[in-house]
Amino acid sequence: MRKHWIILLVGILAFVMGPVAAVAAEKELAYPEGYRSWTHTKTMVIDKGHKAYDMFGGIHHIYANQKALKAMQAGKPYPDGSVLVFDLLEAKSEDNAVTEGPRKFIGVMQKNAKKYSSTGGWGFEGFKGDTKERMVKDMANCFKCHEPKKATDYVFSAYRK
Ligand code: HEC
């Protein structure tokens, strides 16, 4: 008798949790494999005193895949499949030089107009340090800050020749 209850319970759990997990997974962005050999578009240093220092302090490099690069260079809206990576490293100051320290995280934006329609067509994710550990609980928090850049399809940075 007991066995039946356990089977029933497992069945109910699978029924309830299945769709929940599926919805979460459906929105998940893939880790941008190989982004270090994509095109580097620009670099910026965020120093102590900057309003975004707590989260974004350090040296960041921005990378674009082929689709994103073409749109960025042409100043056109980004097509589905465009991916942009914000690669943030600690900044170390030593002997009057600033050098790259360990990676803090990478921020990723991936375009899919339909899938991410509530956040301007962009999916947002963060991966901690050198891992594939996901950091973003609510994409809307990333989007809120990117939203004023509507004229450039919610992208802040531009290609530096
Ligand atoms: C406080 C405002 C703010 C928040 C919050 C924010 N960003 Fe950004 N993001 C920026 C700015 C400003 C840039 C441009 C940096 C540059 O020009 O080097 C940027 C750039 C980027 C880029 C490169 C493409 C672009 O727009 O230039 C990615 C990818 C990115 N952010 C991902 C994220 C993710 C993922 C989150 C949420 C974890 C997030 N951002 C949250 C302000 C923000």
Side-chain angles (χ1 to χ4, degrees):
M1 205 48 206
R2 205 149 158 209
K3 218 169 168 186
H4 285 104
W5 278 110
I6 291 169
I7 291 168
L8 185 69
L9 208 70
V10 169
I12 291 171
L13 267 178
F15 184 76
V16 174
M17 296 308 289
V20 172
V23 167
E26 205 185 291
K27 287 264 175 185
E28 266 180 11
L29 271 71
Y31 181 88
E33 296 292 349
Y35 75 91
R36 289 278 286 116
S37 42
W38 296 358
T39 300
H40 165 243
T41 60
K42 66 162 294 204
T43 291
M44 182 175 171
V45 177
I46 294 185
D47 243 340
K48 277 200 187 80
H50 188 281
K51 60 183 189 308
Y53 180 79
D54 283 348
M55 186 164 176
F56 298 115
I59 303 173
H60 68 250
H61 307 289
I62 294 175
Y63 295 88
N65 72 352
Q66 269 303 307
K67 281 188 178 169
L69 181 70
K70 277 193 191 144
M72 189 183 268
Q73 287 175 329
K76 293 211 168 123
Y78 291 75
D80 281 5
S82 296
V83 183
L84 295 163
V85 177
F86 177 103
D87 190 1
L88 177 63
L89 310 160
E90 277 172 25
K92 292 192 297 187
S93 291
E94 241 170 33
D95 303 330
N96 301 311
V98 179
T99 53
E100 296 172 333
R103 176 169 288 113
K104 292 173 85 177
F105 64 84
I106 63 168
V108 183
M109 287 169 67
Q110 186 184 309
K111 191 74 178 276
N112 185 324
K114 227 164 120 187
K115 192 167 166 186
Y116 303 118
S117 58
S118 61
T119 46
W122 289 101
F124 292 84
E125 185 58 279
F127 295 95
K128 203 172 168 186
D130 292 330
T131 74
K132 291 181 183 175
E133 200 180 309
R134 294 171 187 277
M135 296 167 68
V136 172
K137 299 262 181 314
D138 188 357
M139 292 186 188
N141 292 334
C142 305
F143 181 57
K144 248 180 257 160
C145 193
H146 279 249
E147 203 169 7
K149 301 301 285 183
K150 189 165 195 281
T152 47
D153 203 3
Y154 309 108
V155 173
F156 275 98
S157 55
Y159 181 74
R160 186 250 309 147
K161 276 186 196 152

